Amino acid sequence: MGAQSGLVGRDRETTQLAAALAAAATGDGHLVAATGGLGSGKTALLTTARELAARHGFTVLAARGSFLERELPFGLISRLLVCVPPGDTQNQPRIAAALGQTDVLAEPGPITLPELHVLHRALAKMAAERPVAIVVDDVQWADQPSLQWLSTLPHRIEHLPVFVLAGVGAGETCAGPQTLEELLAAATSEIRLDELSPAATRVLLENELGPLTDEFVDMCRKQAGGNPLLLLNLARAYTGHIERLTAPALLPTLNVRLRRLATHAPDAVHALAVLGGEVTLPRVAELIGIEPCELAGTIASLHRMGLLSAEGALVHPLVRNTLREELTITERQDLHAAAARLLTETGASAEAVAEHLVETRPQDEEWATEVLTTAASRARTRNRVQDAVRYLRRALDEPQTTDLLAELGEVESYVDVPSAVDRLAEADPAHPALPGLLALLGEEPEFEADQIADPDVLPSRPSEFEPYLKAIGFVRMRGELAAAYARADRALTVARRWQHRPCTAAALTARSACLRDLGRLGAAEADAREALAVLDSCGAARTSTPVFAALTELSLALLEMGDVETASAVFELVPAEVPDLFGAPALLAARGRVRIAAERRKDGVRDLLDCGERLHARHNDATSWRLHLGGEHLHAEERLARSLGAVLPLAAALREQAQHLGAEGIALLQESVDLLAPTGALLERARSHFALGRALHLAGRVKPARAELRTAVDLADDCGVEELAEQIRQELAAGPAGLTESERRVAALAAEGKMNREIAAVLFVQLRTVEIHLTKVYRKLGIDGRDQLAPALRLAG
């Protein structure tokens, strides 16, 4: 029966059998029926029962019903009693014939009372010597006389040391169904073999594959349920992928059982595998060319075997995939074509019919085109873009309508930019979507679109997306970072709902910029990397503005985190001579900053100046690229930022100017701090507070200096920028002159809670000396009293 393994997950059933054996050994005969569908582990349970009976000293008589010998009278009995002559058979020629004591075959017909009497006496005689265990598998295939004899045993063995275990295959054909029902009704108890538990499933799979994760076990259960045979075949067919896995080793067992059930059963299950969710009895019958009433019994049997759900669909994906793969390509295509016609005629949905049409050869009929385009339209309405693309691509093989190519290009623009460009260019070279798509391939128009949308009105179509993101850029420029982030996040939700990859990438890039401004650098890096992956998945060129924008944000996030090496590696994707695209100036500015941080100042300055030249050539300008050039560039940056109302660039320009002025730059730094206060820009605030604290230190204003530095270190810690936080702590530790060793000793003891007299006694100094040291410590640390000493000393290292 295909793959087999030891009994797993049947402890409850084994315990039940052990109890029945123990009772039979004391003269309380039991007949237990074990019922299970295909692959439920019934045979493994019966094998375990035989071994258990033998260990308990039973004489074990075992046999199994044979489908091919189900018409042979006494065939099962002959296999059970082959080594145990039942005594005098002179007057019972059929029993003698069955046991090979004559050369003639047993005559067909029901078992007679004298024949039953002989068999019962023989069993009683055996049981008088030692307990007897009769184990019969596949009882449903037993011949009629043998089945009749088994059905009489429950009443005959009530007071004998006899244990009978009958294994019944649920849903299988039977030579005497009424007799089998009599047997089941008279049984002492019945064991129904249900699916294995998740824990037992894990044990079975790990016996084959070794330790497994919960996720993997769950995936296996989705494919094969808790069916031992299916799970075992799945494990042995597994090569790294669970989805759409097939198990060809199942087919011999499966096909034999199906053919025994009915000649049309294999065709029925293949039809079910193809029909999928559109299963109805009349449809399956029509598809395989039989009457529904003829199919009904087969469907019921397949359900009892555990192969079909109550709705008539195949339960296990592993079985469905295996049956589909058994068919040749031509057979599959023919079945799908027949199913498509049938479903159309019986009023199924366009999507259901289209799923079959995509698996067929061209039908060369207009109804197929209509179904596919209708299904695509409905799929687009439900934001199932990939399905819409599949349907429309398949529709190209049928008689076409005039606008089909353009419709396909529009849908492909969501997921496959190069293909969309080819379709739209062929359908309509002036199509309005083409410029934006060509930009994704690095072919930009001469002038950049300057349309800006309302940031409070979400885009309703992809063409409105870029103007909306530009509006978010202006919100961000004004320093309204939380508002900008919220809008970018909503835009991302919309793009993902549309399943529009270019829009999704653009929204991720915009959100990355907002996150970087907010100081959430890890999240900013993740968004930029995802944007690049999405752009790659839809075929965007590496030398295109959307890719340049995502690379810019990724490099800046890494730079802000202090990972200069990885930030430098980002630009390995970019040609040394950056193409003159709309996104090139921002990319050059980012690369310039990274190169300067990597101690390649000459190259970095060249990039920054190149950025400025390209902006000038486009009669445009932008903030931030001048910051690292110093001198008059800083004043120009300040003027531009003020004119644009660009809060973060202005704050940074003021801070950079003040850095060169020492204590005289305090006013500029205070303005920088004030500008940033309401923005939520944690990292920029940390930098400005740090610069202000340092300037105040230089001016001898220790107390306000330390307040600024403490704020700065908290902000830097919140951003996770360890390098900046450490620089601030060093400034806190040093102060304008730093604490002397004596001051440190006194401060440490005071921070522990010791009074001045105790400190004087410990250090062997005068009380007045302690007071003088503490006064200097308070001034240098910028605190008011000893209750602030402990945290101030911690900050000071």
Side-chain angles (χ1 to χ4, degrees):
M1 187 176 171
Q4 294 186 358
S5 183
L7 191 64
V8 172
R10 301 298 187 192
D11 293 344
R12 177 177 58 82
E13 292 84 354
T14 305
T15 301
Q16 187 175 342
L17 291 177
L21 279 166
T26 63
D28 182 10
H30 274 60
L31 188 149
V32 179
T35 306
L38 177 67
S40 61
K42 169 176 58 66
T43 298
L45 180 67
L46 267 63
T47 300
T48 299
R50 288 168 54 183
E51 296 168 353
L52 195 59
R55 287 201 298 270
H56 284 75
F58 280 72
T59 296
V60 179
L61 305 178
R64 65 187 307 166
S66 169
F67 181 81
L68 297 178
E69 294 186 2
R70 65 192 185 285
E71 301 297 334
L72 178 64
F74 296 94
L76 178 67
I77 289 175
S78 70
R79 293 191 293 278
L80 274 175
L81 304 179
V82 65
C83 297
V84 187
D88 184 11
T89 60
Q90 248 183 346
N91 298 320
Q92 305 301 331
R94 293 202 305 171
I95 295 179
L99 298 178
Q101 295 174 357
T102 67
D103 294 331
V104 297
L105 290 175
E107 293 291 330
I111 196 168
T112 65
L113 291 177
E115 288 169 338
L116 284 174
H117 179 67
V118 169
L119 292 172
H120 289 323
R121 283 187 60 187
L123 179 60
K125 184 178 179 181
M126 291 176 59
E129 298 176 3
R130 59 190 297 194
V132 176
I134 299 175
V135 181
V136 182
D137 197 3
D138 290 330
V139 167
Q140 74 279 359
W141 292 330
D143 59 278
Q144 180 70 2
S146 297
L147 189 56
Q148 288 175 315
W149 172 66
L150 285 171
S151 68
T152 64
L153 286 181
H155 306 296
R156 287 286 187 165
I157 64 174
E158 283 182 330
H159 304 296
L160 293 177
V162 176
F163 167 78
V164 181
L165 176 59
V168 182
E172 306 277 6
T173 55
C174 180
Q178 293 180 340
T179 308
L180 181 60
E181 288 179 6
E182 291 285 344
L183 171 65
L184 295 174
T188 311
S189 60
E190 183 177 1
I191 295 173
R192 291 186 179 274
L193 293 171
D194 298 322
E195 290 196 335
L196 296 180
S197 67
T201 299
R202 173 183 289 279
V203 173
L204 187 149
L205 291 170
E206 289 187 341
N207 286 345
E208 294 290 324
L209 300 173
L212 302 171
T213 64
D214 292 342
E215 181 184 7
F216 183 84
V217 173
D218 289 342
M219 290 171 63
C220 291
R221 283 184 64 84
K222 287 178 182 177
Q223 292 294 313
N227 184 291
L229 178 68
L230 299 186
L231 288 167
L232 203 57
N233 276 275
L234 179 149
R236 293 176 180 176
Y238 176 67
T239 56
H241 299 283
I242 288 292
E243 292 297 326
R244 299 188 178 275
L245 181 69
T246 62
L250 267 175
L251 289 171
T253 297
L254 196 56
N255 286 328
V256 165
R257 293 299 178 90
L258 292 173
R259 284 195 295 271
R260 288 174 180 176
L261 192 61
T263 55
H264 61 259
D267 291 337
V269 294
H270 284 122
L272 290 166
V274 167
L275 276 173
E278 298 294 324
V279 175
T280 65
L281 184 63
R283 284 173 177 169
V284 177
E286 177 74 19
L287 203 56
I288 64 175
I290 64 172
E291 293 298 321
C293 58
E294 187 181 355
L295 179 63
T298 303
I299 295 295
S301 294
L302 290 169
H303 174 57
R304 290 196 297 275
M305 289 173 69
L307 292 176
L308 300 187
S309 67
E311 294 76 26
L314 286 165
V315 173
H316 304 109
L318 178 68
V319 174
R320 183 169 63 249
N321 296 337
T322 301
L323 287 168
R324 281 177 55 84
E325 286 303 310
E326 182 189 19
L327 298 169
T328 65
I329 293 176
T330 301
E331 287 172 335
R332 275 204 305 275
Q333 288 180 338
D334 290 345
L335 261 177
H336 280 294
R341 290 180 180 276
L342 176 62
L343 291 174
T344 301
E345 293 168 0
T346 54
S349 67
E351 294 98 315
V353 179
E355 284 298 328
H356 291 285
L357 286 173
V358 295
E359 300 289 343
T360 66
R361 296 182 297 274
Q363 302 299 297
D364 198 27
E365 296 186 27
E366 291 184 2
W367 71 266
T369 307
E370 183 180 351
V371 166
L372 288 162
T373 53
T374 301
S377 177
R378 292 178 182 175
R380 290 185 70 180
T381 301
R382 296 167 185 167
N383 294 316
R384 289 168 37 215
V385 176
Q386 294 281 19
D387 288 338
V389 169
R390 285 194 303 120
Y391 300 153
L392 291 174
R393 285 177 176 173
R394 174 62 181 79
L396 290 179
D397 296 329
E398 302 292 347
Q400 296 179 25
T401 59
T402 55
D403 56 352
L404 179 59
L405 202 61
E407 184 181 357
L408 175 56
E410 289 170 7
V411 179
E412 284 182 328
S413 70
Y414 284 53
V415 293
D416 186 348
V417 173
S419 181
V421 167
D422 291 342
R423 311 277 192 200
L424 293 174
E426 182 180 348
D428 178 9
H431 196 286
L434 269 174
L437 294 171
L438 287 168
L440 283 160
L441 300 180
E443 301 176 32
E444 295 182 337
E446 184 177 355
F447 300 104
E448 185 175 14
D450 56 0
Q451 184 181 0
I452 299 173
D454 184 344
D456 295 322
V457 179
L458 280 170
S460 59
R461 59 180 63 89
S463 60
E464 298 173 358
F465 216 79
E466 187 176 355
Y468 181 77
L469 293 182
K470 284 185 177 180
I472 292 176
F474 279 98
V475 174
R476 176 176 155 238
M477 184 179 68
R478 295 196 302 265
E480 300 171 25
L481 302 185
Y485 170 79
R487 286 168 172 79
D489 192 56
R490 286 198 292 271
L492 179 58
T493 300
V494 169
R496 282 178 168 158
R497 188 172 66 243
W498 291 344
Q499 296 185 12
H500 194 292
R501 294 181 187 175
C503 287
T504 298
L508 282 164
T509 302
R511 194 173 73 168
S512 175
C514 295
L515 287 165
R516 179 170 56 82
D517 285 346
L518 287 166
R520 294 166 56 185
L521 303 177
E525 178 195 359
D527 271 6
R529 289 192 185 279
E530 186 180 352
L532 288 168
V534 172
L535 287 166
D536 184 63
S537 74
C538 69
R542 286 188 174 182
T543 52
S544 64
T545 287
V547 171
F548 280 7
L551 289 173
T552 296
E553 290 306 324
L554 176 59
S555 65
L556 291 176
L558 292 166
L559 179 63
E560 303 285 28
M561 288 190 286
D563 192 350
V564 178
E565 183 178 353
T566 308
S568 299
V570 166
F571 297 104
E572 293 174 2
L573 298 173
V574 180
E577 292 298 322
V578 178
D580 191 21
L581 301 174
F582 296 138
L587 182 79
L588 286 165
R591 191 172 74 175
R593 285 185 57 187
V594 171
R595 284 177 165 177
I596 290 171
E599 299 182 356
R600 295 174 57 190
R601 184 167 182 80
K602 185 177 179 180
D603 292 335
V605 168
R606 187 186 301 116
D607 276 344
L608 294 175
L609 293 174
D610 190 6
C611 165
E613 289 173 4
R614 296 196 190 202
L615 287 169
H616 181 71
R618 293 180 182 272
H619 306 289
N620 202 348
D621 204 351
T623 58
S624 302
W625 65 270
R626 300 177 178 86
L627 281 176
H628 295 274
L629 295 175
E632 282 302 313
H633 289 285
L634 292 177
H635 295 293
E637 178 75 6
E638 179 189 351
R639 288 192 299 272
L640 179 62
R642 288 190 188 279
S643 69
L644 295 175
V647 174
L648 269 64
L650 175 57
L654 294 172
R655 184 175 64 239
E656 289 299 320
Q657 290 181 56
Q659 301 274 23
H660 306 288
L661 300 176
E664 296 178 8
I666 289 175
L668 292 176
L669 290 169
Q670 187 62 59
E671 184 181 358
S672 177
V673 166
D674 293 342
L675 282 168
L676 293 169
T679 65
L682 300 184
L683 185 55
E684 287 299 298
R685 288 182 62 204
R687 287 172 173 151
S688 291
H689 280 286
F690 179 25
L692 179 56
R694 238 182 342 204
L696 289 170
H697 258 168
L698 291 172
R701 297 165 58 184
V702 177
K703 186 174 180 179
R706 299 194 68 78
E708 295 295 333
L709 292 171
R710 282 194 289 272
T711 300
V713 78
D714 288 342
L715 290 168
D717 284 337
D718 288 344
C719 294
V721 184
E722 296 178 3
E723 184 178 349
L724 177 61
E726 181 57 30
Q727 291 175 5
I728 300 169
R729 287 191 176 90
Q730 290 174 5
E731 181 71 22
L732 277 165
L739 299 181
T740 66
E741 189 60 34
S742 297
E743 289 166 352
R744 282 187 176 278
R745 285 198 296 269
V746 170
L749 291 170
E752 292 174 3
K754 295 188 184 307
M755 303 305 292
N756 288 0
R757 290 186 183 278
E758 293 175 296
I759 296 171
V762 170
L763 298 178
F764 303 104
V765 296
Q766 298 292 322
L767 178 61
R768 179 60 180 158
T769 302
V770 173
E771 292 171 347
I772 292 171
H773 282 328
L774 283 176
T775 300
K776 292 180 179 179
V777 168
Y778 295 160
R779 176 175 57 78
K780 289 182 178 182
L781 295 180
I783 59 177
D784 297 322
R786 67 199 309 130
D787 60 325
Q788 299 172 25
L789 259 177
L793 287 173
R794 279 197 299 274
L795 283 172

